[in-house]
Amino acid sequence: MITRALFLFVLSALAVQAEVTSERLLGARQEPQNWLTYSGDYNGQRHSPLSAITPENAKNLELQWVFQARSLEKFEATPLVVDGIMYTVQAPNDIVAIDAVTGRVFWIYQYRPSPAARPCCGRVNRGVAILGDTLYMATIDAHLIAIDTKNGGLIWNIPVASPEAGYALTVSPLVIKDKVVVGTAGGEYGIRGFIAAYDAKTGKEAWRFYTIPGPGEPGHETWPADSDAWKHGGASIWTTGSYDPETNLTYWGIGNPGPDWNGDVRLGDNLYSDSVVALDADTGKLKWHYQFTPHDDFDYDSTQVPVLADMEWKGRMRKVMMFANRNGFFYVLDRTNGQFLLGKPFVEVTWASGIDETGRPVKIAGTAPTRDGVLVYPGVQGGTNWYSPSYSPRTGLFYIPTWANYSTVFIKTPVKYEEGKSFTGGMPRSTVPSLRAAQVNNRKEEEGYGAVRAVDPKTGERKWEFKMSDVTDGGILTTASDVLFSGGRDGYFFALDARTGALLWKANVGGPIASGPMTFAVDGRQYVSVSAGSALFTYAVRK
Amino acid sequence: MWRKLFVLVLAHGFALGSLLAQHSYTPADVEDGGRLFRTNCTNCHGPNGDAIPTIDLGRGRFRQVYSDTDLVRIIRNGIPGTPMPANNFDEFRATTIVAYLRSMAADEARPGALAGDATRGKALFAGKGECFTCHRVKGTGSRSGPDLTEIGAMRRGTELERAMLDPDAEVLAGNRAFRAVATDGTEIIGTLLNQDAFSVQLLDSKDRLRYLQKSDLREQGYVAKSPMPAYRDKFNAQELADVVSYLSNLKGLDLP
């Protein structure tokens, strides 16, 4: 009897290790025990229907296991979990398959990037995508590779762009139907950015959308005429987009124009830098765009996750996109046509006085970088950055990983393009370390601090704030039981009440969190995972 | 298209060329160059630029006479056959380092600068200045202020003099005094070593490493002014020069 029951249990456990079809990706939230895409669902909400961890029992969360990465790089990947198996990336580009309950490693696929790889800001990776029995990873030497989920075997490996010219891939790919979509980083090296889709079976390129229009294309006129500026204008991609199956549009946030801090060589609005673009998922054709920061002088990449929701807006239901931008403004757009609905600052902003009714920022004169430097809020890392926000349909609040009180003196320097060389045209100066967290923090609050800020998307008003001491590179996860998980450079992973911001639980993880938390369940038990420092931690409520 | 690019490159070339030709360095050039110098050059050249025999960058003494353009080239390309390496600076950044070197030399050559006597300075540091009350040197003195055992390897003489005359002008984040008051009224003063959302870590005035929960504190915050007194009235110019000379010679422990 026992043997038979055990046999049936094992059989059922094995039976659910089914292929991840594109239909399963579309219905990702119908299987809340799994985490199938970078943000947990195509809508980018990083909100889980799981509810076993509650505001009442969160205090009983305890560590289940730790995976120590053999890497001193920042651990920025969000893991996927599929039917009890976790897949993550040990920086720069090793894929690891882990038993999600025990932390035991099944296999590690080790990738050795070309020495030509030169990512600007760390040899990092933000995670894998899955379709069928195949994992997809973008690499820092600008390749896209396909790996067998069962044994880590290589299926295909294709070059996407030239690492010698400064192209790198750090983004977690997005699988839509039978295609794998990625974009290229390299905005500090004078690249011409693009988003491209590849056939999931073969790796053959299906479509490509250049984020800087070429001659004769709409938008090319926003770059200087008779100049090569557009060829080296950056507009990179390094954070995963979202997808709306109803409109068949995929939305991607686009990075800064290059050179970053010297706009003299690229007069004009510089489309589609600092924009969100809506592309037909089958063809890559542009449906609409919205530019957050025309002619950016501050490196305000718009590489944030576009968050999609349907909500009542001034008396009628609308399909909206919420976007907390590095430039310090929180936006709501109509995602069917890009119409601007709302734009309110969520941190102190001194480069623009607001957004006009057409959706264009009203720039404040005298804030562009100069040789002697100009102090601007938010600073060069922005009011927020690539760290995943979260939207909870239950609370109706949008949660932003925030750098508050944070400024930079922007200094402009001469610049000329040389292939593969840094192409930034400036030296930003700030009291807060930009990329690498310091191990100690003795700054004053007025010099910059991190926070989780909860914003009502219908008004842009802040509902509550949870203050950290140091700034944060940690994403945010919310759940259907109104628990919010996040962390930051302070080195704590914590749970808050998503309704009030009250602290429910915290754990010292001994290193900065520079990734988005995710949650999953196995055999009905809910777990929550986050990477911090160079390790991955998984927690569950004490049995 | 090419004509425009040519004009652009030429304009940048002129901008740099005129910066060099006229020595029209701005305070920002000097500041940026100083930051690059301290990060990239002091390991070999020392903070005063005099750590390599026969070279004294801080006083404009090189192995031969160099123009600013020569120095930019050397900073970028190195000197073959010597330990001076090539560096990955663009021309503009290399130029700011030259701006800093020229400014150091101008500082050192300022009229009326007195030569200091390190031996007399050491006696003044221990005696009249009462510096050990707060500072520590090679295992002697208090830990409530910065340990000065290696200060000569980190700071130039003019910077040390400025710190003694006007201690509030620049206090590094790691040297700020911090005051906390517990809910029972106990006052704790010390140096803030680290902090997070829930706690602070201090070295208190009794040399104890303290972990304090913020929830146990009634008040907490940095002390607005530096605890270091200004020595403008306490030392005359010669005494000041002597103490600066002593501090400039503090370059770490005397290891066997």
Side-chain angles (χ1 to χ4, degrees):
Chain A
M1 184 69 175
I2 292 174
T3 309
R4 183 168 169 272
L6 189 64
F7 172 76
L8 285 174
F9 172 77
V10 169
L11 198 67
S12 68
L14 288 175
V16 296
Q17 284 195 8
E19 279 200 351
V20 178
T21 59
S22 55
E23 288 72 28
R24 282 183 74 187
L25 293 176
L26 283 171
R29 295 296 64 174
Q30 272 73 62
E31 42 184 295
Q33 73 277 16
N34 291 326
W35 191 272
L36 299 179
T37 66
Y38 179 71
S39 298
D41 191 15
Y42 279 137
N43 60 23
Q45 291 181 2
R46 204 168 278 259
H47 177 81
S48 169
L50 292 178
S51 58
I53 301 171
T54 66
E56 290 70 36
N57 67 18
K59 61 180 181 293
N60 297 324
L61 282 163
E62 65 178 18
L63 186 64
Q64 303 298 301
W65 55 264
V66 179
F67 167 73
Q68 295 278 356
R70 192 177 292 178
S71 169
L72 293 177
E73 294 292 340
K74 286 181 289 175
F75 202 153
E76 296 190 355
T78 295
L80 302 185
V81 167
V82 186
D83 305 329
I85 314 295
M86 176 180 284
Y87 303 99
T88 192
V89 178
Q90 163 181 280
N93 289 128
D94 298 340
I95 304 180
V96 190
I98 299 171
D99 182 78
V101 172
T102 64
R104 294 298 299 168
V105 170
F106 290 117
W107 53 257
I108 298 182
Y109 167 78
Q110 292 185 306
Y111 180 81
R112 193 165 294 170
S114 158
R118 62 197 76 178
C120 70
C121 312
R123 294 165 66 83
V124 298
N125 179 279
R126 303 196 176 83
V128 292
I130 189 166
L131 182 68
D133 284 334
T134 307
L135 299 167
Y136 301 92
M137 176 175 64
T139 69
I140 58 167
D141 58 353
H143 280 236
L144 179 63
I145 65 172
I147 295 292
D148 187 325
T149 56
K150 305 297 182 186
N151 62 8
L154 181 66
I155 296 171
W156 50 256
N157 173 352
I158 56 147
V160 170
S162 160
E164 287 81 5
Y167 287 86
L169 302 183
T170 59
V171 68
S172 172
L174 185 67
V175 168
I176 303 175
K177 302 178 189 174
D178 59 350
K179 297 181 181 66
V180 186
V181 186
V182 295
T184 57
E188 276 63 55
Y189 293 95
I191 65 155
R192 182 188 178 201
F194 61 87
I195 303 164
Y198 298 86
D199 182 276
K201 284 271 181 245
T202 64
K204 184 168 182 280
E205 184 173 311
W207 54 255
R208 178 180 291 211
F209 171 78
Y210 278 103
T211 55
I212 300 177
E217 294 178 315
H220 187 71
E221 72 285 355
T222 63
W223 295 83
D226 301 327
S227 151
D228 279 348
W230 64 276
K231 287 185 179 170
H232 310 301
S236 60
I237 302 288
W238 42 281
T239 304
T240 308
S242 47
Y243 172 61
D244 179 359
E246 287 186 30
T247 56
N248 196 35
L249 294 176
T250 182
Y251 306 98
W252 292 76
I254 298 178
N256 63 282
D260 304 39
W261 303 293
N262 184 341
D264 298 349
V265 299
R266 49 172 176 81
L267 297 177
D269 279 358
N270 307 143
L271 288 173
Y272 297 100
S273 70
D274 290 357
S275 303
V276 60
V277 292
L279 307 179
D280 183 292
D282 297 329
T283 64
K285 294 271 181 285
L286 180 70
K287 175 82 180 290
W288 59 259
H289 77 277
Y290 174 82
Q291 189 174 39
F292 300 97
T293 314
H295 191 78
D296 173 19
D297 283 313
F298 309 110
D299 192 16
Y300 288 152
D301 292 79
S302 294
T303 45
Q304 292 76 51
V305 176
V307 179
L308 316 181
D310 295 349
M311 65 173 63
E312 189 178 309
W313 190 270
K314 295 182 179 166
R316 69 178 174 105
M317 288 301 289
R318 287 192 91 142
K319 294 175 176 297
V320 306
M321 171 191 296
M322 292 166 277
F323 207 111
N325 197 283
R326 186 164 167 175
N327 71 10
F329 287 91
F330 168 76
Y331 297 83
V332 181
L333 308 176
D334 183 322
R335 73 172 179 273
T336 63
N337 56 19
Q339 184 190 345
F340 169 80
L341 300 177
L342 179 142
K344 285 269 181 70
F346 63 93
V347 291
E348 186 176 354
V349 171
T350 63
W351 65 274
S353 58
I355 315 285
D356 70 21
E357 65 270 21
T358 69
R360 194 173 174 88
V362 182
K363 288 196 180 184
I364 295 173
T367 55
T370 64
R371 175 63 202 107
D372 291 333
V374 175
L375 180 77
V376 172
Y377 288 75
V380 64
Q381 289 298 307
T384 189
N385 202 322
W386 63 273
Y387 343 116
S388 291
S390 182
Y391 171 71
S392 167
R394 286 175 51 88
T395 63
L397 297 178
F398 189 86
Y399 304 95
I400 309 172
T402 304
W403 289 34
N405 287 355
Y406 165 61
S407 64
T408 289
V409 174
F410 287 92
I411 296 161
K412 179 169 76 174
T413 65
V415 63
K416 64 181 176 189
Y417 176 75
E418 291 176 68
E419 182 174 285
K421 298 277 172 60
S422 173
F423 185 59
T424 60
M427 293 191 287
R429 198 184 293 153
S430 179
T431 51
V432 182
S434 280
L435 299 172
R436 277 280 181 187
Q439 283 189 294
V440 296
N441 168 30
N442 37 34
R443 287 193 309 277
K444 301 174 182 176
E445 186 173 300
E446 55 265 37
E447 292 169 336
Y449 69 92
V452 175
R453 285 187 170 171
V455 168
D456 179 349
K458 292 180 181 173
T459 61
E461 300 299 321
R462 191 191 317 163
K463 288 297 182 186
W464 55 257
E465 168 183 55
F466 178 81
K467 280 186 180 180
M468 292 170 250
S469 176
D470 208 337
V471 294
T472 175
D473 311 306
I476 296 173
L477 163 74
T478 56
T479 71
S481 48
D482 296 332
V483 179
L484 179 153
F485 291 95
S486 192
R489 290 189 183 181
D490 275 355
Y492 288 95
F493 183 45
F494 53 75
L496 308 179
D497 187 318
R499 298 161 294 192
T500 62
L503 179 71
L504 302 171
W505 167 84
K506 68 179 190 294
N508 183 344
V509 285
I513 291 175
S515 66
M518 51 78 72
T519 186
F520 61 94
V522 180
D523 295 334
R525 190 175 189 212
Q526 186 183 357
Y527 299 80
V528 58
S529 289
V530 73
S531 49
S534 39
L536 173 69
F537 299 81
T538 293
Y539 296 86
V541 172
R542 193 162 44 240
K543 281 180 179 170
Chain B
M1 186 189 300
W2 285 108
R3 191 177 61 82
K4 284 245 177 173
L5 192 65
F6 174 72
V7 170
L8 193 71
V9 169
L10 208 63
H12 284 162
F14 276 142
L16 285 168
S18 64
L19 194 68
L20 288 166
Q22 298 163 19
H23 297 188
S24 57
Y25 303 125
T26 66
D29 295 330
V30 174
E31 194 179 335
D32 291 335
R35 192 175 302 109
L36 293 172
F37 181 83
R38 282 189 290 276
T39 311
N40 297 281
C41 312
T42 53
N43 264 354
C44 299
H45 287 284
N48 291 313
D50 58 357
I52 294 176
T54 75
I55 299 172
D56 193 345
L57 304 179
R59 290 187 171 80
R61 285 203 285 271
F62 306 95
R63 291 214 167 109
Q64 62 187 77
V65 175
Y66 288 123
S67 69
D68 288 13
T69 311
D70 294 334
L71 290 173
V72 166
R73 192 185 64 248
I74 290 170
I75 289 168
R76 299 187 73 195
N77 302 335
I79 305 176
T82 75
M84 176 67 189
N87 286 281
N88 191 27
F89 297 121
D90 60 25
E91 189 168 354
F92 190 84
R93 283 171 171 75
T95 305
T96 65
I97 295 176
V98 174
Y100 178 69
L101 297 181
R102 295 308 192 202
S103 134
M104 283 169 84
D107 263 5
E108 296 297 335
R110 69 196 190 284
L114 296 172
D117 179 308
T119 308
R120 283 202 308 261
K122 184 177 183 179
L124 288 163
F125 186 91
K128 184 178 177 182
E130 300 178 273
C131 305
F132 281 122
T133 310
C134 298
H135 291 287
R136 195 167 179 89
V137 176
K138 298 181 183 177
T140 301
S142 166
R143 296 183 179 91
S144 60
D147 190 316
L148 301 177
T149 304
E150 296 184 329
I151 196 69
M154 296 186 284
R155 290 287 180 189
R156 294 165 52 202
T158 49
E159 292 166 338
L160 293 168
E161 183 185 279
R162 202 175 307 135
M164 291 170 65
L165 294 174
D166 186 7
D168 282 323
E170 185 193 10
V171 181
L172 295 181
N175 296 332
R176 291 168 175 162
F178 194 84
R179 177 177 174 273
V181 180
T183 41
D184 67 0
T186 312
E187 183 184 62
I188 304 140
I189 292 186
T191 304
L192 184 83
L193 301 177
N194 197 5
Q195 63 185 326
D196 60 45
F198 313 105
S199 68
V200 293
Q201 291 75 47
L202 299 176
L203 178 66
D204 76 9
S205 52
K206 293 176 181 149
D207 278 357
R208 290 176 303 186
L209 289 167
R210 303 283 297 272
Y211 170 95
L212 305 173
Q213 287 271 7
K214 285 184 177 174
S215 55
D216 294 338
L217 302 177
R218 195 168 69 195
E219 292 175 42
Q220 50 162 320
Y222 287 101
V223 177
K225 289 181 77 67
S226 167
M228 165 118 170
Y231 278 79
R232 191 175 297 282
D233 301 324
K234 192 150 187 171
F235 286 150
N236 63 36
Q238 184 57 57
E239 289 171 329
L240 204 60
D242 293 341
V243 176
V244 167
S245 175
Y246 165 63
L247 295 172
S248 296
N249 280 292
L250 293 177
K251 298 196 173 163
L253 292 174
D254 308 315
L255 298 174

